[in-house]
Amino acid sequence: GTTPKTLYEVLPNEKLPFKRIEFWQVNERFVEQSDKNSNYNLLFETLIIPLEKKAKAFHTFDTNVSIEKSVEKYEQELKNKNTPFDLC
């Protein structure tokens, strides 16, 4: 949805230590990433493009594979995380 859109639009302008920040997508409609209803699409346009050279990493769901494979890949990324996980 578009609820977080304003936050996503202003966040790249904040003075934050982006090189230490990893973004984890926690919600996705399982549709093609280019679909207007895709949460990834909103993230891409408002956060990933403006922060791609600043942020440490973006972790998103891959909707180009089956939902089962996408969840497996995302779960593996979470398991491979070697630093503290902080939700804020």
Side-chain angles (χ1 to χ4, degrees):
T2 58
T3 302
K5 184 176 182 181
T6 302
L7 173 64
Y8 293 170
E9 289 172 336
V10 299
L11 192 59
N13 300 313
E14 295 298 312
K15 293 188 184 324
L16 296 170
F18 288 111
K19 287 289 184 203
R20 295 185 357 228
I21 297 174
E22 293 183 58
F23 290 89
W24 292 82
Q25 183 179 9
V26 295
N27 181 16
E28 180 58 286
R29 293 174 184 85
F30 208 76
V31 297
E32 301 237 354
Q33 290 180 341
S34 61
D35 188 293
K36 67 180 179 79
N37 292 315
S38 169
N39 290 324
Y40 172 85
N41 200 16
L42 177 63
L43 281 171
F44 185 78
E45 291 174 359
T46 58
L47 280 181
I48 295 175
I49 289 175
L51 292 175
E52 68 182 334
K53 290 185 171 58
K54 294 180 184 177
K56 182 174 180 179
F58 287 93
H59 304 274
T60 60
F61 293 98
D62 182 356
T63 60
N64 296 313
V65 297
S66 71
I67 194 168
E68 294 82 8
K69 184 67 175 169
S70 180
V71 170
E72 282 177 25
K73 288 170 70 175
Y74 194 85
E75 180 181 27
Q76 194 59 48
E77 283 187 60
L78 285 168
K79 287 180 179 177
N80 290 339
K81 182 157 176 41
N82 294 324
T83 56
F85 195 79
D86 184 16
L87 296 176
C88 54

